Amino acid sequence: MIRVLIVDDHPVVRDGLRGVLTAEPDLAVVGEAGDGAEALARIADASAAEPVDVVLMDLRMPVMGGVEAIKELRRNGSGPRVLVLTTFDTDRDVLPAIEAGATGYLLKDTPREELLRAVRAAHRGEAVLSPAVAGRLMGQVRSPAEESLSARELEVLQLVAGGATNREAARRLFISEATIKTHLLHIYAKLDVRDRASAVSAAYRRGLLTA
């Protein structure tokens, strides 16, 4: 018997999942939780004789989200496999969950039979990904790594962000205007932009510059 804990902040969703899972002879729902913190407490309280095997985990929940809960489970060395079941498939949701230690990642529009197969596969320790999520991860693998800016390029970009002209930046860094222009060309290429404003915007977005 595979013992499942359902973690979702919507009672209607939990009820639906319970109905799907308990209809299977090899699956048992041993508890529910409305957020990550409650899930951790329920797992900790589970008896050694009947531990939780698989956690169906939503991501965006009050009190404690799914990613934080997954990290805490792994930090504590807790045993349940975590199968994320959520409506979100953006990079800022998928990658942190996988990196935190989720065994699988499914979307809530996953067909019933696929969900059941995924729970059983997660119990076996097999990675399970919805097609959309798998596509995102493949895109991350295939995309070239972002080139980092050199210390000097960051200095130039910081001055540009502060409104300095090429002449002013050159004077403050004790280099020629031509060298400033060369640095800017390198910056544009590394950030995949075409002008100063776009370079500054991209740098703030990537955390290279801070306000």
Side-chain angles (χ1 to χ4, degrees), residues 8 26 31 34 43 56 61 74 86 90 98 100 176 181 185 207:
D8 195 289
D26 61 331
I43 292 169
L56 273 181
M61 298 177 289
R74 296 297 165 256
T86 185
T90 64
I98 298 300
S176 69
K181 291 178 181 178
L185 290 175

Side-chain angles (χ1 to χ4, degrees), residues 58-109:
D58 195 8
L59 287 185
R60 301 187 190 180
M61 298 177 289
V63 184
M64 178 184 286
V67 171
E68 291 83 0
I70 297 169
K71 288 180 179 177
E72 195 63 28
L73 283 172
R74 296 297 165 256
R75 187 178 299 117
N76 294 338
S78 300
R81 309 285 187 182
V82 178
L83 179 59
V84 171
L85 184 64
T86 185
T87 56
F88 306 103
D89 66 347
T90 64
D91 288 348
R92 76 185 189 93
D93 293 299
V94 174
L95 298 177
I98 298 300
E99 291 171 352
T103 303
Y105 196 114
L106 296 180
L107 301 180
K108 287 183 178 176
D109 60 0

Side-chain angles (χ1 to χ4, degrees), residues 31-178:
E32 299 179 10
D35 59 69
E38 186 181 352
L40 293 175
R42 289 187 176 277
I43 292 169
D45 290 342
S47 67
E50 292 189 347
V52 175
D53 297 313
V54 176
V55 180
L56 273 181
M57 181 83 75
D58 195 8
L59 287 185
R60 301 187 190 180
M61 298 177 289
V63 184
M64 178 184 286
V67 171
E68 291 83 0
I70 297 169
K71 288 180 179 177
E72 195 63 28
L73 283 172
R74 296 297 165 256
R75 187 178 299 117
N76 294 338
S78 300
R81 309 285 187 182
V82 178
L83 179 59
V84 171
L85 184 64
T86 185
T87 56
F88 306 103
D89 66 347
T90 64
D91 288 348
R92 76 185 189 93
D93 293 299
V94 174
L95 298 177
I98 298 300
E99 291 171 352
T103 303
Y105 196 114
L106 296 180
L107 301 180
K108 287 183 178 176
D109 60 0
T110 298
R112 176 180 179 276
E113 290 304 318
E114 288 185 24
L115 172 61
L116 293 172
R117 282 196 294 270
V119 170
R120 295 180 178 112
H123 180 243
R124 295 191 296 268
E126 300 172 7
V128 184
L129 299 173
S130 71
V133 171
R136 284 193 174 278
L137 291 178
M138 286 300 294
Q140 288 287 326
V141 171
R142 289 172 177 164
S143 62
E146 294 178 351
E147 287 189 76
S148 59
L149 300 185
S150 69
R152 178 62 87 184
E153 288 164 352
L154 283 171
E155 287 180 320
V156 170
L157 193 54
Q158 187 71 60
L159 290 172
V160 169
T165 64
N166 288 357
R167 179 174 297 179
E168 290 168 340
R171 186 177 66 253
R172 293 175 65 175
L173 295 177
F174 303 101
I175 56 180
S176 69
E177 257 188 272

Side-chain angles (χ1 to χ4, degrees), residues 166-196:
N166 288 357
R167 179 174 297 179
E168 290 168 340
R171 186 177 66 253
R172 293 175 65 175
L173 295 177
F174 303 101
I175 56 180
S176 69
E177 257 188 272
T179 301
I180 291 290
K181 291 178 181 178
T182 298
H183 283 314
L184 285 172
L185 290 175
H186 290 164
I187 291 169
Y188 297 165
K190 289 181 178 180
L191 298 182
D192 193 25
V193 297
R194 294 186 176 182
D195 55 48
R196 298 161 70 93

